[in-house]
Amino acid sequence: RSLDFTAIEEIRRLTARIRLSYSGPVEPGPGFDLKHGRGGIREIEFFAHTHQLIYGGRNPALRLRGTRAALDALAEGGFIAGEDAAYLGAAYDRLRTTEHRLQMVDDRQTHALPAAAALDGVARLDGFADGDALVGELRELCGAVAARYDRLLAAQGQPASVATLALDAYGARIDQWRDTIPALRGPEARAAFGAILPDLVTALRQASDPDHALARWETLLARLPSAVNLLRLFEQRPGLLDQVLRVLTLAPPLADELARHPALLDRLIDASALDLPGSVGELSARMAATEAGDSYEFQLDRIRRVVSEERFALGVQLIDNRHEPLAIASGLSRVAEAALATAAAAAIGEFEAVHGRVAGGELIVLGLGRLGGAALTHASDLDLIYLFSGAIGVDSDGRRPLTASLYFNRLAQRVTAALSVPTASGALYQVDTRLRPQGSSGPLAVSLESFARYQHDDAWTWEHMALARARPVFGSAPTRDALALTVREVLSAPRDGARLRADVMTMRAEIAQHKPPAGSLDAKLLRGGLVDVEFIVHFLQLRDGVALEPAVATALAALAGAGLVPSELPGHYRLLARLLIAGRLLAPDSLAPAPAACAALAAACRAPDYPTLLRALREARQGVAKAWAQVFGETVEIEQ
């Protein structure tokens, strides 16, 4: 007696299935199916049944079985036009008559028109001179039926863009979701889904990889226990739907993360979702907000939830162009540093409960690379060196004591696991400890004194270049200050400029040979890219002992101020850095993405459009090549 409009959706869906599964000719001719073909018997029946479903609950006169009788009753009650009822009724009779003529031949249960002489025979049985005459009439008749049925679906509130979905593969797959995804099986969920469907389809078709974007959306829906609230929220807040669709279609890494963890949507509902994260201390307090008695695993899950939410929010801010990419990179670094501090504190608490403490000793962590420079991307690993203070030979005071060196090496393993081992809430970071003294063959954690001795006496030039972007990121203030002083002393030591230059040139050649650029947008590895800028900066830092700042942008500004590099180089670096940070989400393969992602990438890089961005990229690379020639006396060719 009352009907949710989703019943119309069900009829449309069933029609779409029939049309999609039908493999015969679109128009009448040899092979055309009179029953299932477009404008055939089934669509006339569905036309009548649809109106009966809508109005029959309140009008008993419409509860009739025969299609012709139903059409006549609908016209008599004024529910459909008399002309439509008369035409569809006559068409129904005509198609049924032709169907019977087909089945008279060889007494076969068939609905398909035969070919050649057999078609002529059916036509003559049906009163036509030949098959062409019969086909001509059927084409006109079926075309008129199909047009009326299409108008019926549109008239029942189906947007035109949705009505055409039945004609492509995406529409067929989306139709199947109503049967295969539990969260969409209820009438309210289907109604809400129908309301957002046009925007969804439009966005999917504009995606750089529509198939993967569709799969991510499908996975997201499949993992929701209930879709009603979320879909209704999308209706009430179109801006939120736009954000989610931009994530799914523009940023594959974020889309994959959202598909795995739908709860990330909660962060977008938060009013602070478009704000940059707070200080390391504020973030650490959020990550550590557990109660007494919470398990170690629960603490790690809490850290992962907060990190995932903040990284996701920062990604949305980037693709929405809410903040400068360099500010996004700084925010990602604060999140990582807070995660390190909180995970290390939790691991230390667990470790001390068993092994106690080492008197006068503590764990210290040195961050290198993009973490050291406070400029992480969404794809960055954490480059870490574990150190410890205090004497080496003393034992810890717990119920299972360990000597200091073994103690801090096992503790460092625990911290690495806390940061990298997946839990129920996912993984955090990949941790890279290969930059430690003696590399992978050396101990995971060494004492401050051993580290200083190694850096002064045995380290290679490339290790000192890595140290130029080093920053203490965990430990008490006194030990961090002591470590920072050691790093500065190592970087300030006198060097042989010619040997340093030779080492730098050799390293750059090896990178070019073994790590070629991934694509035309590889802002890091292309000649004239970020690696060249960093080599220039680190060479001058080590040669002259100046601008000893771990942040490349800060060091570069100091070098430009001292006249050691061209004044334009900091600007070129900013463009390249923006492209790297934004490209990790919008062009993760370093190749030109789809047009919509190209526009978002250009906006993030502060360019009015993508062609302008490409010109700016070429100019920046040429500017870096000019600085390279000035510093090293070597010409670098930048392709046009």
Side-chain angles (χ1 to χ4, degrees), residues 312-362:
F312 184 73
L314 284 164
V316 173
Q317 292 167 26
L318 191 149
I319 63 177
D320 280 353
N321 200 23
R322 296 283 179 169
H323 300 289
E324 156 75 55
L326 298 175
I328 299 291
S330 178
L332 289 168
S333 298
R334 294 194 298 278
V335 171
E337 192 173 342
L340 169 61
T342 313
I348 289 171
E350 283 284 294
F351 200 74
E352 289 180 347
V354 177
H355 301 290
R357 299 182 180 182
V358 174
E362 67 169 292

Side-chain angles (χ1 to χ4, degrees), residues 552-573:
V552 174
T554 305
L556 194 56
L559 293 172
L564 294 173
V565 297
S567 59
E568 301 87 359
L569 191 56
H572 297 326
Y573 170 79

Side-chain angles (χ1 to χ4, degrees), residues 110-367:
T110 182
H111 307 95
L113 295 176
L119 180 60
D120 290 337
V122 171
R124 284 191 289 271
L125 281 173
D126 211 20
F128 290 91
D130 54 31
D132 289 341
L134 173 61
V135 166
E137 185 201 49
L138 290 176
R139 283 185 177 176
E140 180 180 354
L141 184 150
C142 290
V145 170
R148 283 172 168 80
Y149 190 73
D150 288 343
R151 286 198 300 271
L152 164 68
L153 295 180
Q156 299 304 328
Q158 282 298 329
S161 60
V162 180
T164 61
L165 278 179
L167 304 180
D168 63 32
Y170 295 136
R173 184 165 173 181
I174 290 171
D175 276 334
Q176 292 175 359
W177 291 353
R178 295 176 173 86
D179 291 330
T180 60
I181 295 179
L184 293 181
R185 287 181 181 167
E188 188 177 356
R190 293 183 179 187
F193 184 62
I196 69 165
L197 193 53
D199 291 335
L200 172 63
V201 172
T202 299
L204 290 174
R205 287 175 175 160
Q206 293 174 351
S208 56
D209 189 341
D211 291 335
H212 280 111
L214 186 70
R216 295 182 194 107
W217 182 263
E218 185 175 41
T219 303
L220 172 64
L221 289 176
R223 293 187 175 180
L224 289 172
S226 172
V228 174
N229 290 338
L230 176 62
L231 296 173
R232 290 301 184 195
L233 182 64
F234 285 155
E235 277 191 86
Q236 298 300 318
R237 291 179 54 181
L240 178 61
L241 176 61
D242 290 342
Q243 282 185 328
V244 173
L245 292 177
R246 283 172 66 80
V247 166
L248 290 172
T249 57
L250 298 183
L254 283 187
D256 289 339
E257 187 66 17
L258 180 59
R260 287 191 294 266
H261 302 289
L264 290 173
L265 289 171
D266 293 344
R267 184 68 179 88
L268 296 186
I269 299 170
D270 194 326
S272 65
L274 299 180
D275 296 336
L276 291 169
S279 67
V280 172
E282 292 169 341
L283 289 164
S284 297
R286 279 182 57 202
M287 295 178 193
T290 54
E291 298 179 0
D294 286 336
S295 68
Y296 179 57
E297 289 72 20
F298 183 87
Q299 295 176 59
L300 297 186
D301 279 342
R302 170 74 182 178
I303 296 170
R304 279 156 174 73
R305 284 195 297 272
V306 175
V307 169
S308 296
E309 289 171 0
E310 291 303 321
R311 282 168 53 88
F312 184 73
L314 284 164
V316 173
Q317 292 167 26
L318 191 149
I319 63 177
D320 280 353
N321 200 23
R322 296 283 179 169
H323 300 289
E324 156 75 55
L326 298 175
I328 299 291
S330 178
L332 289 168
S333 298
R334 294 194 298 278
V335 171
E337 192 173 342
L340 169 61
T342 313
I348 289 171
E350 283 284 294
F351 200 74
E352 289 180 347
V354 177
H355 301 290
R357 299 182 180 182
V358 174
E362 67 169 292
L363 185 71
I364 314 151
V365 183
L366 186 66

Side-chain angles (χ1 to χ4, degrees), residues 86 94 135 180 270 313 383 391 441 503 512:
R94 187 73 191 85
V135 166
T180 60
D270 194 326
D383 294 313
S441 61
D503 288 346

Side-chain angles (χ1 to χ4, degrees), residues 64-87:
L64 303 172
R65 288 190 176 185
T67 300
R68 282 299 308 265
L71 290 169
D72 292 342
L74 288 165
E76 186 176 346
F79 300 109
I80 64 174
E83 187 272 334
D84 284 340
Y87 189 90

